[in-house]
Amino acid sequence: MAPIDPHSYTDSTHPPTTHISLSLYLDFPSSTIHSLALFTLQNPHSGPFFLDTRSLSINSVTDSQSNPIPFSLSRTVDPIKGSKLTLTLTNHASFFIYYTTSPSSSALQWLLPPQTFNKKHPFVYTQCQAIHARSVFPCQDTPAIRVSYSAKLNIPIELTAVMAAKHVARRSLLDHDDCFGNSSKGRILEEFEMELPVPPYLFAFSVGEIDYREVGPRTRVYAESVPQLLDSAAREFEGTEEMIREGERLFGGYEWDIFDLLVLPPSFPYGGMENPRLVFLTPTVIKGDATGAQVVAHELAHSWTGNLITNKTNEHFWLNEGFTTYAERRIVEAVQGEKRATLNIGIGWRGLNEDVERFKDNLELTKLKNNQEGIDPDDAYSQVPYEKGFQFLLRIEREVGRPAFDEFLKKYIATFKFKSIDTETFLDFLRANIPGIENQIDLVLWTEGTGIPSDAYEPDSSVYKTIVALANESVNGRMPTEDEIAEWQGQEWELYLDNLPKSIEVSQILALDSRYKLSESKDYEVKVSFLQRAISCGCKAYYSEVEKTLKEVGRMKYLRPLYTALVKDSGSEEDKVFAKRLFSEARECYHPIAQGVVESIFAKYT
């Protein structure tokens, strides 16, 4: 047995799955999916064959003639990898698995009508990254293996399904369509096909009362059928086509045909998820000033770096996120200007330093290439692969010049598209195509060293320096004047707040908010950064706003700093009790991944 991924039971001696055909009956009352999956392998196999599962009930496994295939689930459940499903194959190249998901599926969030925007119908969506696809269907749940798939979603007729795949048809059920013993009355079938091979974490769908607006020749914005929400999203993302064209200019042709966006309910745990053909977004990126489109730029950049070229395991996650952060900032610079890109870099620099400090007791996770044996990828998540990875690529660009690096990037993408690679593969390609680069840059230090290398680049633009200087001057009781902040948008305020010294006093926080109403900002980046500073300095005047925020959004970017500030930074037992009460009341509104992150904060600091 030779595992290929510390987070998967997949065995290197077993043939990879090449295609999965799914029939899914979504049962909203029970929050489960009754399912049939047809697996096609690269070549016939005899002997044990391993698949990853989590919280799945396996009903039967058969061949194409309905003959049973022996199977077993591991008696013990690994807290990270879940349960190993072992099939005993006899020269099989395909097989069927009948199974049912659990209401506790870590990838699925089932929302009741009151938890949605329109309050009328239930809603469900998936979030499979990093290793949660196994809770939706059995699979070789590692990015080292790429599969194509088709799916039939059997759903209530009043709802609509969208998927990160080509929509084939919406049709009435036929006699041969499996309802798994349920009535077909009031049901409809939505069919999809993903013809290009993708890693399992990019499997994604959502079902609810969903509508859309056209915003470009290749882009629709989907959301719940609330006109105000749809219209505001369409305005925020109206520049998407320009971004796609810029991405193509920089990185080569767009391979995925369409680039649609889905704005999910506020419980979505991330800013965005790069599912090909259908990016998932939090509604908090709709800010009214088009700066939320920077998240779209990031997810778009994944169309080349991440979706086309994928990290082989999560231990090389920087190959996805460092490249994408670099690509995002190149797109933003071209479309929104150098100032926006520079502010983005400044905020990222601060986030990198904070996360290196967060992992001071586990420096392994400050490496680009790290060892995650026995570590849940959700617990390892940080800005390090994003921002240190970006800094590494920027260091190479600074060494060889932008024109040469642009040519290198295009060649890299063309060489490895639709492949999963590791850090060594990238470094070998780098050395071969930029001879002598290892003599100018310490590649081992950058990829295997801890912390931030001394030749990393702290932004030195005038706008960055001015804002950081203003933040530092707060130690003298000075706050920015009206003239100084006249042209500030959310990013400027975020950079300012993130750089305020920890010694700031309660009176200064109160005065700052009295003048600029930061606690009431519609930009959650600004609001949460302000509330975090208020909690950390012991200012309790905004705890009602903290409670409101933690109960209305589930994005981990906001949950992590606010809960951490309450249970760690403030040092108050009263705040810990307050945080635990908030979580107990808000927990069911968070996606299971976000629930786990908050629980880990409590486990570490209480």
Side-chain angles (χ1 to χ4, degrees):
M1 190 175 91
I4 63 173
D5 186 328
H7 303 121
S8 174
Y9 293 111
T10 301
D11 193 300
S12 64
T13 64
H14 296 173
T17 307
T18 57
H19 187 81
I20 303 175
S21 296
L22 293 163
S23 295
L24 307 177
Y25 182 100
L26 279 72
D27 187 354
F28 280 88
S30 67
S31 299
T32 61
I33 302 175
H34 306 290
S35 314
L36 170 62
L38 168 61
F39 291 77
T40 303
L41 306 183
Q42 188 176 71
N43 49 268
H45 181 71
S46 293
F49 183 80
F50 304 149
L51 293 171
D52 298 305
T53 76
R54 181 184 292 124
S55 304
L56 298 181
S57 297
I58 308 299
N59 302 318
S60 67
V61 182
T62 67
D63 64 16
S64 59
Q65 304 302 314
S66 299
N67 297 312
I69 292 176
F71 72 92
S72 63
L73 275 174
S74 55
R75 292 183 179 180
T76 58
V77 178
D78 186 277
I80 297 173
K81 294 190 286 188
S83 301
K84 178 167 69 174
L85 174 61
T86 303
L87 313 184
T88 303
L89 303 181
T90 306
N91 200 36
H92 290 101
S94 64
F95 50 83
F96 294 89
I97 300 179
Y98 284 87
Y99 69 95
T100 304
T101 66
S102 163
S104 62
S105 166
S106 59
L108 292 162
Q109 184 170 24
W110 301 83
L111 300 175
L112 297 171
Q115 296 173 295
T116 66
F117 282 111
N118 61 28
K119 314 297 183 186
K120 296 177 183 178
H121 296 286
F123 196 99
V124 65
Y125 68 90
T126 58
Q127 174 54 41
C128 291
Q129 195 179 44
I131 54 170
H132 300 282
R134 66 192 70 184
S135 70
V136 182
F137 56 98
C139 57
Q140 294 168 308
D141 196 4
T142 168
I145 290 179
R146 305 173 72 96
V147 298
S148 58
Y149 67 85
S150 59
K152 297 178 181 178
L153 276 63
N154 186 325
I155 64 174
I157 196 169
E158 66 273 14
L159 303 182
T160 297
V162 291
M163 198 166 197
K166 180 181 179 181
H167 187 248
V168 176
R170 177 181 171 94
R171 62 171 176 81
S172 301
L173 276 76
L174 304 175
D175 290 342
H176 65 267
D177 292 318
D178 202 334
C179 286
F180 303 90
N182 298 287
S183 171
S184 62
K185 185 177 181 181
R187 310 285 295 190
I188 197 79
L189 205 70
E190 300 259 28
E191 296 187 56
F192 299 88
E193 180 79 31
M194 171 49 79
E195 298 172 342
L196 300 175
V198 296
Y201 73 82
L202 292 177
F203 175 88
F205 69 79
S206 182
V207 178
E209 187 183 24
I210 296 171
D211 203 349
Y212 67 88
R213 297 285 189 270
E214 302 273 3
V215 296
R218 289 181 275 190
T219 304
R220 289 178 174 179
V221 175
Y222 290 88
E224 286 186 71
S225 187
V226 178
Q228 182 179 359
L229 173 64
L230 285 161
D231 292 342
S232 60
R235 286 192 297 271
E236 189 79 21
F237 308 129
E238 63 184 2
T240 300
E241 178 61 24
E242 184 181 1
M243 288 185 172
I244 298 173
R245 289 197 298 268
E246 184 60 28
E248 289 181 312
R249 185 186 70 80
L250 289 168
F251 313 119
Y254 180 77
E255 299 274 357
W256 307 95
D257 188 25
I258 63 171
F259 182 73
D260 288 342
L261 311 171
L262 171 64
V263 178
L264 285 163
S267 60
F268 184 58
Y270 294 101
M273 180 62 208
E274 64 268 21
N275 309 306
R277 298 180 62 98
L278 185 67
V279 164
F280 284 8
L281 295 169
T282 169
T284 63
V285 300
I286 303 174
K287 301 180 181 183
D289 60 3
T291 58
Q294 291 185 24
V295 174
V296 173
H298 184 89
E299 308 312 330
L300 169 65
H302 269 302
S303 301
W304 292 272
T305 54
N307 297 4
L308 269 189
I309 306 176
T310 307
N311 50 238
K312 186 171 285 187
T313 75
N314 210 66
E315 295 177 323
H316 307 273
F317 191 47
W318 80 273
L319 288 170
N320 277 22
E321 297 299 349
F323 270 91
T324 297
T325 301
Y326 176 87
E328 165 209 339
R329 288 171 181 159
R330 292 292 304 277
I331 293 172
V332 169
E333 179 183 317
V335 175
Q336 296 187 348
E338 186 176 355
K339 177 183 176 183
R340 287 289 133 206
T342 299
L343 289 169
N344 196 317
I345 294 170
I347 292 168
W349 175 258
R350 179 68 181 181
L352 173 60
N353 280 270
E354 289 178 350
D355 274 348
V356 168
E357 172 66 19
R358 176 161 72 95
F359 287 130
K360 63 183 179 182
D361 296 327
N362 188 4
L363 289 174
E364 181 67 24
L365 295 181
T366 69
K367 300 177 181 178
L368 289 183
K369 172 192 169 187
N370 51 57
N371 181 358
Q372 293 188 22
E373 187 70 47
I375 298 175
D376 191 319
D378 291 338
D379 293 337
Y381 183 87
S382 76
Q383 290 301 301
V384 172
Y386 293 75
E387 297 297 341
K388 187 176 179 179
F390 163 78
Q391 286 285 341
F392 180 34
L393 298 175
L394 185 63
R395 176 68 184 88
I396 299 170
E397 182 207 281
R398 286 160 50 209
E399 185 64 38
V400 304
R402 178 168 283 189
F405 191 57
D406 282 354
E407 289 304 310
F408 169 81
L409 279 180
K410 286 182 179 179
K411 186 175 181 180
Y412 167 71
I413 292 169
T415 301
F416 294 108
K417 67 180 181 180
F418 296 113
K419 295 179 181 178
S420 298
I421 68 170
D422 57 19
T423 300
E424 287 71 26
T425 302
F426 167 73
L427 292 178
D428 287 345
F429 185 80
L430 177 66
R431 295 186 192 100
N433 286 273
I434 306 180
I437 189 68
E438 67 272 19
N439 299 322
Q440 278 73 48
I441 301 173
D442 190 334
L443 304 180
V444 175
L445 175 66
W446 268 99
T447 54
E448 299 182 34
T450 61
I452 305 173
S454 60
D455 53 346
Y457 171 77
E458 180 177 6
D460 62 358
S461 72
S462 60
V463 63
Y464 172 82
K465 288 182 174 179
T466 297
I467 293 172
V468 172
L470 284 172
N472 291 333
E473 287 178 14
S474 66
V475 297
N476 301 318
R478 183 181 183 279
M479 73 173 70
T481 66
E482 297 280 357
D483 288 340
E484 288 169 325
I485 62 95
E487 297 183 0
W488 282 16
Q489 292 180 292
Q491 280 187 302
E492 286 87 346
W493 275 114
E494 185 183 357
L495 185 62
Y496 173 80
L497 291 166
D498 285 350
N499 282 278
L500 286 175
K502 293 183 178 180
S503 59
I504 191 167
E505 297 181 359
V506 171
S507 59
Q508 292 175 280
I509 287 288
L510 292 170
L512 189 64
D513 191 53
S514 176
R515 179 176 293 183
Y516 295 119
K517 310 299 180 187
L518 301 177
S519 66
E520 302 171 17
S521 175
K522 301 301 182 184
D523 185 327
Y524 277 92
E525 260 75 12
V526 175
K527 182 178 185 177
V528 169
S529 187
F530 174 81
L531 294 176
Q532 182 185 3
R533 270 61 193 172
I535 295 168
S536 297
C537 75
C539 179
K540 298 186 181 297
Y542 302 102
Y543 277 32
S544 61
E545 198 60 49
V546 171
E547 178 167 358
K548 178 184 175 184
T549 300
L550 289 174
K551 287 183 174 180
E552 68 186 7
V553 296
R555 187 178 177 185
M556 292 188 294
K557 184 177 182 179
Y558 309 144
L559 303 187
R560 185 179 279 112
L562 290 182
Y563 278 110
T564 299
L566 286 170
V567 302
K568 174 180 176 282
D569 296 347
S570 77
S572 163
E573 287 300 318
E574 181 183 353
D575 284 354
K576 292 179 181 179
V577 172
F578 175 60
K580 289 180 178 179
R581 175 181 68 79
L582 285 183
F583 182 53
S584 69
E585 294 174 0
R587 187 180 190 280
E588 293 307 311
C589 294
Y590 297 159
H591 188 280
I593 296 173
Q595 292 175 10
V597 166
V598 178
E599 287 166 353
S600 69
I601 292 171
F602 285 125
K604 184 174 182 179
Y605 298 117
T606 61

